[in-house]
Amino acid sequence: MNDPGFPFIALATAFALLIFALCLSGVRRFNLRRALGTVDASICTAGKSWQMGVCRYQDNDLEWFKLLSLSVRPKYTFRRSSLELVGRRKPTEAELVKVQPDSVIVELHYEGQEVLLAMKFDAYTGLSSWLEAGPVIGVGTWR
């Protein structure tokens, strides 16, 4: 333990682990963005702070993945039939520093809770189209 090379080996190992985690994060991000139906979107739920991430449309779910994470599972999953689009608005002055530039704030209700998504306008039009194209609740036919 008194070897002068031990601190160097410990620092080199920590640095190598950091680089490996960053590479894994990059591969995860690449795989998320490669899939169809993914858009960059920040989220704010139940009055919490904004978190950057990626939304992915599935057949019956909207999944949201945290941007800086190694998890392959979504942090939030919203059932399509329970999502209600309330509207959109421009970010407030306080939100401008927390969301992407040129974003719109999409207001959604999900099972009685307010969910805010910050995304580009073209991503918003895709989200609204995806919600409108979904099945009518309780009826087995499409709209």
Side-chain angles (χ1 to χ4, degrees):
M1 283 303 228
N2 292 333
D3 183 20
F6 181 74
F8 175 75
I9 293 172
L11 285 174
T13 303
F15 184 71
L17 288 175
L18 177 68
I19 296 299
F20 182 69
L22 288 173
C23 288
L24 282 179
S25 180
V27 168
R28 176 185 171 269
R29 171 95 168 128
F30 175 76
N31 284 334
L32 280 176
R33 291 294 297 158
R34 187 177 68 167
L36 292 176
T38 59
V39 295
D40 291 331
S42 298
I43 193 169
C44 181
T45 58
K48 296 180 184 175
S49 64
W50 286 95
Q51 300 176 28
M52 292 181 66
V54 176
C55 277
R56 179 171 66 185
Y57 306 113
Q58 298 290 13
D59 289 337
N60 297 315
D61 297 316
L62 176 67
E63 298 175 336
W64 185 84
F65 296 86
K66 202 171 185 180
L67 184 63
L68 298 175
S69 173
L70 296 177
S71 175
V72 295
R73 301 188 68 162
K75 182 166 183 182
Y76 297 106
T77 301
F78 304 103
R79 281 190 325 275
R80 182 185 211 170
S81 60
S82 299
L83 269 174
E84 178 186 346
L85 180 63
V86 177
R88 66 177 164 88
R89 62 176 171 81
K90 292 183 178 181
T92 63
E93 290 294 324
E95 292 171 331
L96 279 174
V97 296
K98 298 177 183 178
V99 299
Q100 299 173 10
D102 301 324
S103 293
V104 295
I105 306 296
V106 181
E107 298 174 348
L108 301 165
H109 280 157
Y110 180 71
E111 296 180 350
Q113 294 181 353
E114 181 182 42
V115 177
L116 301 175
L117 291 175
M119 57 181 54
K120 302 287 184 186
F121 183 76
D122 57 345
Y124 161 71
T125 57
L127 174 66
S128 63
S129 298
W130 178 77
L131 285 171
E132 289 175 5
V136 177
I137 299 171
V139 180
T141 60
W142 292 86
R143 293 181 196 197

